[in-house]
Amino acid sequence: MNEHDEHDEREDRDCDDREALARLLPAPAERELPREQHLRHKELLMRHIDNDRDNGRRNRLRRPALLIPATALALACALTAGIALGGDGGDGGNGGTSPKMRPAAALLHRISDAAGERKTPPVRDDQFVYTRTKIREADLTSGKAVVGPLKEQETWATQRQGPMRKLGVSRIDGETLPINAELGDTEGTPAGLSRPTYRWLSELPTDPDKLLAYLYAKTPHAKERERDQAVFEQIGTLLGGMMPPRTAAALYRAAAELPGVTRAPGARDAIGRQGLGIAREDTRHGVHTEWVFDEKDFTFLGSRSRLTKDLPYGKKGTLLSSEAELEHAVVDRAGREPGR
C-alpha cells in the first residue's frame, strides 16, 4: 500500500468517526403543517411516503427546525467523499475535473460548466414562468401505490417576491386550477425553496460549498429520511426550471459533493428519452431517485423515482414518479401559452 492509499484510508476512518459522532447528537425538533400544494409533484410524492411511514397518518406534512447540529460534520464527510478513484466513464473531455474525481462528480462538473454557459431571458417580478412537462406518478392515498397514466401538465408560476396567496395556475390534461398558498401560510407563501422565483434563485450563494451548507440548513427534515437524500431531492425540485446560469452551475457542483451520488446507466425520463443519469438511493427508505440529462448538451430532461425494496405500499421496482421537461418560457399573464 502506498502513501496515497494510506492517506485515503485515514480520511475514510475520520469521516466514519464524524458520522458516528453525528448519530450521537440529539435529533432536531420537528413541527407539523398540513398538506400543501406544490408546483413539483415529485416533492409532494416523496412527502406522502414520509407521512405513510409516520404511524400511518396521511395528508400531513412535516416541517423541521431549520438547523441541525450535525450539519458541519455532514458537510465535512461530504467533502471528503467527493474525491475517489476512477475516471468518468468517457463522456467527453474532463471539463477541468480531477482525474481522481468520482465518475458522478466528474459528470456533474461538466453539466455545471454547460449550465453556466446557457443564456436565459430576463424575468421581471410581474411576469410568470411557464413550464410544460409530462408526468406520471403513484397515488398513495389508499395506502398502496397506484401508478397513474402519463399526463401533461402546464404551470404558470408568479414571480412576485412578497408572500402570495395565489402562486399561479396549473393545468393538467386540460383542467385548470389555481395554485394556492401553502396551508398554514395565512399571509401567503413567500419566495423560497417551495416557491423558487427567478430573483430568489439569483440571490442564492454561487459558491458550491456555501450553497450546500444553505441547503442542509433549509431543507425540511423528514422523519426516517436520510438527510443527504433529502438535500439531493431538494436540489432535484429546483432543476429544469427557468434559472440564472450561475445558480444552476452552483447547484450541480453542490450535488457533486453529496455522498452516495452515483452514475445511473440507462436512465430514462417519463417519455422514454434515454440520457446520462445521476442518481442517489435512500437505503433507509428504499427509494432510488435519478436525474436524466441530454447526452449532447447536458440539458436536464427529467427525473424518475422507484422503490428498491418491498414496502407496505408497494413492491420493489414500483414507479413512484417520473417527469419529462418539455418547455420553459416567460409570459406576462397566467394561462397564456408561449407565442400566443
Side-chain angles (χ1 to χ4, degrees), residues 102 104-105 108 232 255-263 278-281 291:
R102 291 178 301 156
L108 282 166
F232 179 80
E257 296 181 2
L258 286 171
V261 176
T262 64
R263 295 286 300 271
I278 292 292
R280 194 182 189 283
E281 181 178 342
W291 306 333

Side-chain angles (χ1 to χ4, degrees), residues 28-287:
E30 296 186 48
R31 56 188 176 95
E32 295 185 357
L33 287 179
R35 180 178 177 177
E36 60 193 8
Q37 183 175 9
H38 288 281
L39 296 180
R40 295 283 184 175
H41 282 252
K42 177 181 170 183
E43 174 74 5
L44 179 59
L45 179 61
M46 290 297 100
R47 294 187 184 189
H48 268 307
I49 297 172
D50 296 328
N51 299 334
D52 188 63
R53 283 294 187 87
D54 187 18
N55 299 324
R57 292 178 296 174
R58 292 185 290 275
N59 297 326
R60 297 175 67 85
L61 294 177
R62 289 187 174 272
R63 288 282 186 172
L66 295 181
L67 294 174
I68 60 173
T71 296
L73 296 173
L75 284 173
C77 290
L79 292 173
T80 301
I83 298 178
L85 296 178
D88 87 333
D91 289 312
N94 62 20
T97 60
S98 166
K100 294 185 179 296
M101 185 175 292
R102 291 178 301 156
L107 175 57
L108 282 166
H109 275 235
R110 287 201 305 281
I111 293 171
S112 171
D113 292 340
E117 295 175 357
R118 291 195 183 95
K119 304 297 182 183
T120 58
V123 183
R124 301 193 309 268
D125 290 355
D126 63 340
Q127 292 181 306
F128 293 80
V129 167
Y130 169 83
T131 303
R132 183 167 65 92
T133 60
K134 290 279 190 178
I135 59 172
R136 191 182 184 199
E137 55 194 1
D139 183 354
L140 301 177
T141 55
S142 67
K144 296 293 184 180
V146 179
V147 181
L150 186 67
K151 298 180 179 180
E152 179 164 302
Q153 174 177 279
E154 298 172 280
T155 59
W156 290 263
T158 181
Q159 298 299 293
R160 295 191 183 278
Q161 298 306 299
M164 299 293 294
R165 293 185 177 181
K166 186 173 181 180
L167 310 184
V169 171
S170 177
R171 182 183 297 159
I172 300 180
D173 281 351
E175 182 181 6
T176 301
L177 296 170
I179 302 172
N180 297 319
E182 298 175 359
L183 295 177
D185 287 351
T186 57
E187 300 299 321
T189 302
L193 284 175
S194 61
R195 189 170 79 84
T197 63
Y198 190 90
R199 193 207 292 187
W200 178 84
L201 287 165
S202 71
E203 294 171 353
L204 288 175
T206 55
D207 176 86
D209 293 335
K210 292 180 180 179
L211 179 56
L212 191 60
Y214 175 88
L215 292 168
Y216 269 97
K218 299 296 185 181
T219 296
H221 189 282
K223 186 177 181 180
E224 298 185 9
R225 176 71 59 80
E226 291 180 5
R227 189 65 180 154
D228 298 325
Q229 183 75 8
V231 173
F232 179 80
E233 292 178 0
Q234 183 68 76
I235 294 174
T237 66
L238 300 176
L239 302 181
M242 195 70 67
M243 186 183 303
R246 292 183 63 195
T247 304
L251 279 172
Y252 289 124
R253 288 187 177 258
E257 296 181 2
L258 286 171
V261 176
T262 64
R263 295 286 300 271
R268 294 180 182 272
D269 66 10
I271 58 176
R273 294 179 298 187
Q274 184 170 343
L276 303 171
I278 292 292
R280 194 182 189 283
E281 181 178 342
D282 186 335
T283 56
R284 184 186 308 167
H285 228 119
V287 175

